[in-house]
């Protein structure tokens, strides 16, 4: 069974940093594109970033480019999102998702999310 | 970025009736070399992560009931629920994965009338 479990969320002050993790199991992590998507409570989904299977391609939404960094450790089957210079508007539920082995495919598996709250 | 616009923003349909949700992309998401539309539909129930229902505009994912269907091509797409069930109450999102940066529609909230 494919499983994605996010962690690392919590309360952080504006201007602070946080690293989210997404531990995976049930599939060959090193073969798949992975994504981060966020959702402000009560609002819609916003795609943030994706990374290819070996980490050589990283793509970001303009809204987080330069502040957020996606990475992965294929030996640990884990995806990361390093977030810096956090703002109030970064408060959201953050989901990791898996698409497929190929580029430009939909996100077929999702974690339950981890909540990030940016507040002083 | 490709802007995805869904209509309506909310929809109330009686049990057993048809529900139709539309999605329009700011540019075509049809890749002519393989004739595939890079468009997916997701369902999100309260307190749950999104679930992929349909990929490539019209391909139902494994386990998705056949009352869900997707249609359209190019810039205009439709998600249809042929006979609404109580468990279909959710927010539905379209997403394009044609461009380097993926984008979602704003969502359509589906309720029971």
């Amino acid at each position: 069974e494919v499983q994605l479990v996010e962690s690392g969320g919590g309360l952080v002050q504006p201007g602070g940093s946080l690293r989210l993790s997404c531990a995976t199991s049930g599939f060959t992590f090193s073969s798949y594109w992975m994504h981060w998507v966020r959702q402000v409570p009560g609002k819609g989904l916003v795609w943030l970033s994706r990374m290819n299977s070996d980490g050589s391609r990283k793509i970001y939404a303009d809204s987080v480019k330069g502040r957020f960094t996606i990475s992965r450790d294929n030996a640990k089957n884990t995806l990361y999102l390093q977030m810096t210079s956090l703002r109030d508007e970064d408060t959201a539920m953050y989901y990791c998702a898996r698409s497929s082995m190929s580029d430009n495919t939909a996100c077929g598996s999702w974690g339950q999310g981890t909540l990030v709250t940016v507040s002083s | 970025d490709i802007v995805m616009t869904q209509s309506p923003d909310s929809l109330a349909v009686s049990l057993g009736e048809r529900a139709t949700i539309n999605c329009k992309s700011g540019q075509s998401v049809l890749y002519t070399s393989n004739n595939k539309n890079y468009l997916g539909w997701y369902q999100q129930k309260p307190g749950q992560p999104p679930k992929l229902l349909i990929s490539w505009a019209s391909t139902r994912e494994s386990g998705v009931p056949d009352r869900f269907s997707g249609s359209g091509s190019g810039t205009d797409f439709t998600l249809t629920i042929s006979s609404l069930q109580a468990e279909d109450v959710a927010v539905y999102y379209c997403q394009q994965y044609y461009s380097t940066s993926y984008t979602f529609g704003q969502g359509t909230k589906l309720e029971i009338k």
Side-chain angles (χ1 to χ4, degrees):
Chain A
E1 179 191 4
V2 173
Q3 288 198 327
L4 300 89
V5 179
E6 301 92 337
S7 62
L11 177 63
V12 60
Q13 292 188 336
S17 299
L18 209 57
R19 189 177 83 156
L20 306 183
S21 300
C22 172
T24 72
S25 60
F27 65 102
T28 305
F29 177 74
S30 59
S31 296
Y32 286 81
W33 281 81
M34 297 295 296
H35 303 248
W36 287 100
V37 174
R38 73 182 177 187
Q39 184 173 37
V40 173
K43 303 297 184 182
L45 300 169
V46 176
W47 177 87
L48 296 179
S49 181
R50 64 194 178 104
M51 169 178 274
N52 68 341
S53 58
D54 67 6
S56 60
R57 287 193 65 196
K58 304 177 184 182
I59 300 153
Y60 299 93
D62 287 344
S63 59
V64 300
K65 201 175 295 182
R67 294 193 302 126
F68 290 10
T69 303
I70 190 172
S71 63
R72 65 194 295 160
D73 185 334
N74 285 346
K76 295 183 177 179
N77 297 326
T78 301
L79 179 74
Y80 302 100
L81 186 68
Q82 179 70 48
M83 306 186 293
T84 63
S85 302
L86 284 163
R87 309 164 179 165
D88 291 353
E89 55 265 35
D90 294 318
T91 293
M93 182 71 79
Y94 286 73
Y95 295 101
C96 69
R98 187 197 83 170
S99 53
S100 83
M101 300 183 193
S102 303
D103 195 2
N104 293 98
T105 57
C107 298
S109 299
W110 295 68
Q112 291 295 316
T114 187
L115 183 63
V116 173
T117 303
V118 184
S119 176
S120 54
Chain B
D1 289 357
I2 299 177
V3 176
M4 307 299 290
T5 304
Q6 293 181 225
S7 61
D9 289 334
S10 63
L11 180 64
V13 174
S14 300
L15 290 172
E17 296 300 304
R18 179 185 299 262
T20 301
I21 298 170
N22 301 300
C23 174
K24 188 173 184 69
S25 59
Q27 66 184 74
S28 175
V29 297
L30 172 64
Y31 194 40
T32 53
S33 66
N34 60 10
N35 201 37
K36 284 187 170 184
N37 287 284
Y38 285 58
L39 188 286
W41 288 97
Y42 297 82
Q43 175 193 64
Q44 188 178 31
K45 297 181 179 180
Q48 296 185 18
K51 173 187 175 182
L52 179 64
L53 295 177
I54 288 171
S55 58
W56 310 114
S58 60
T59 302
R60 254 190 322 272
E61 295 297 297
S62 175
V64 174
D66 61 6
R67 64 179 180 274
F68 291 91
S69 63
S71 62
S73 185
T75 61
D76 292 280
F77 301 90
T78 300
L79 174 69
T80 301
I81 307 172
S82 60
S83 176
L84 188 71
Q85 305 299 304
E87 60 264 32
D88 301 335
V89 168
V91 180
Y92 293 85
Y93 297 91
C94 62
Q95 179 202 41
Q96 65 79 20
Y97 44 94
Y98 178 91
S99 69
T100 304
S101 292
Y102 292 13
T103 45
F104 289 94
Q106 80 276 17
T108 296
K109 186 175 184 178
L110 177 59
E111 299 173 312
I112 305 294
K113 187 187 291 183

